Amino acid sequence: MKQSSVPSVKELLNEGAAKFGSATFIKYIENGQIKEKSFIQIRDDSECVCRLIRHGNNKKINIAVIGKTSYEYLVFCSGVLSSGNVFVPFSPEISVDEAAELFERADIEMLFFEEAFADRAAELSAAFPELKSVCFSQADEIYAKYSADSEYSSLSDIEEDKEQCAIIIYTSGTTGVKKGVMLSMNALVGNIMYREYCTDIFNEGVVALSVLPMYHTFCFSGDYIKNLKDGLQVCLNGEFRDIAENLKRFQPKVIRIVPMIAQSLLGKIKILLRRNPSLTPRQAAEEVYGKNIKWLISGGAYLSPELVVEYDKLGIFLRQGYGMTEAGCRISVPDDGVAFESVGRIIDLCEVRTLNGEIQVKTPTVMMGYYKMPEETKEMFTEDGWLKTGDIGYVTEDNQLFITGRVKNLIILSSGENVSPEAIERKFSSVELVEEVLVYGEGNKLIAEFYPNAEYAQANGINNIEQELERIVDSLNETAKSSHLISEVRVRDIPFEKTGPGKIKRYETKI
Amino acid sequence: MLENIKDIICSFVDVEHDSITADSKLTADLGLCSMDLAMLSSEIENEFGVVLSPKVFATVKTVGAIAEYIEQQK
């Protein structure tokens, strides 16, 4: 099945400017003040970045964009996507070493970065002398130099080939090696062009709060591209921890979340209700979420039906969707008629089948493959061309999808963060006190369980092994990414059970 | 200061103010998740005017340790 007439991001920006004009599209906080940018403004600013990229550069290149969600982040992403080049997003928490490895593998030739990344950008520039890099802080100069009435104006007039790769998104693999998912423009934008059943949400002027990181497909595709198409007003939360304040400030109607956010904010609502018995559940919910809240769209991790039921009592639809970057993002989306346990209704673009229990998908928005990884790409597909999701589940007659288990090793915390346990376990390979280690998730915590080297402990006068392991873990935590922090140390007396030579049998992640 | 910190924590977890002590562990005893800790860091910054990154909680693990950290930063 092929979709007809899918717009590009450039065309969506132009359509947004024509249709919604000077209405506010992006709202954010800068120096304590609310700033607003219109549909016209973001189109114009993105065009300036597009011209900057094309100034003196005629060949197609891969461009990394690194930053937390901000207006400039969106402008630079859009500029890359409008320029016919390939947008490669990375987490702003990425270390120099990991970035250097991925830049090499992804053939990155240009880098746009936020100021907080400046030191790491300088190190990367030293390692890659050919790398051109531009900091977001230069945005105003770029907007002035490359404006529509400048001598460079024609540089943004390009013919787009929407079948070509537009974005490479690196995802954690089960082996710990990140793989770059290549999506064409048709797949990236095509995935939001499904038939929508939530008719009262995705409309002009509806306020959405964007809290998840934009370098994740779920957020970029939904909070940015889909909202641009539908004309919503997107309020950027900025720092994750400011969510309570921003909910009151922006009063959103819809938020894309991960289950941990819903769980945590429900805790606040329950405390309010217990301490203020005169409040109704809805009033307490509005104290925390603001008066307009109606929809919470969850993704990225398992959402418990109990939580859904609790939110229903508050007059808030909390439902989940399901997808994977390899499918272009969405496979199923929620509507207000789906069952609590369902992960939504399969979108009209996708065909889903189950083979030996595994959910498999055919969609026009499927990836072009993993960048420079033909073997890994091949492994993701069946011989007859269906994408293997690695998840176990079933489909009902009314097209609702249910997931019952995961066949992957990957730890998916209830925060939605994917953690490769092998990557963390490897850090202990040079620690002599550690004979064996297994990292696994419980809820939103990472646990490291050790089988220590008792002989080494005895020889070195280590009496309290657990305390010493905690000290080692604390010291590793100091330099770890926030999603890789180990919350608990467990010590065992006997070696782990093995599945093969030296291969520890993994526990099932308890969510 | 400890009392103010306890007040803030009480808005995240359903425990009695008086049952929280300086030795109460944020995650193990009070059950704060990483999301709670992130929001807690923001509220503590607003209340005490000190910069407190959520990453600090990798080593600052008790209610009393938060108070000590704030004192050091002032």
Side-chain angles (χ1 to χ4, degrees), chain A residues 212-238:
Chain A
L212 302 176
M214 283 282 179
Y215 60 87
H216 281 184
T217 326
F218 176 47
C219 184
F220 187 71
S221 171
D223 279 353
Y224 183 53
I225 299 181
K226 182 163 167 54
N227 288 344
L228 169 64
K229 171 184 142 295
D230 293 335
L232 274 75
Q233 189 179 99
V234 183
C235 303
L236 308 181
N237 184 57

Side-chain angles (χ1 to χ4, degrees), chain A residues 284-299:
Chain A
E286 288 181 5
E287 283 279 321
V288 172
Y289 276 98
K291 294 210 174 302
N292 302 319
I293 192 68
K294 180 156 185 194
W295 258 96
L296 299 178
I297 303 169
S298 182

Side-chain angles (χ1 to χ4, degrees), chain B residues 1-19:
Chain B
M1 180 195 295
L2 197 62
E3 294 307 304
N4 288 357
I5 296 170
K6 284 161 68 175
D7 280 341
I8 295 171
I9 289 172
C10 281
S11 71
F12 290 99
V13 284
D14 202 4
V15 293
E16 295 300 331
H17 183 280
D18 292 344
S19 69

Side-chain angles (χ1 to χ4, degrees), chain A residues 91-107:
Chain A
S91 159
E93 285 198 49
I94 195 168
S95 67
V96 171
D97 288 347
E98 191 181 8
E101 187 225 320
L102 289 174
F103 275 30
E104 181 82 42
R105 283 174 45 202
D107 299 314

Side-chain angles (χ1 to χ4, degrees), chain A residues 51-88:
Chain A
R51 293 180 196 117
L52 162 81
I53 296 165
R54 290 174 51 77
H55 185 192
N57 174 41
N58 293 321
K59 65 178 179 126
K60 184 167 177 153
I61 57 171
N62 295 352
I63 303 175
V65 184
I66 301 180
K68 290 184 284 298
T69 304
S70 66
Y71 175 70
E72 273 70 36
Y73 181 85
L74 295 173
V75 167
F76 280 87
C77 296
S78 307
V80 177
L81 286 166
S82 302
S83 70
N85 292 289
V86 181
F87 164 42
V88 192

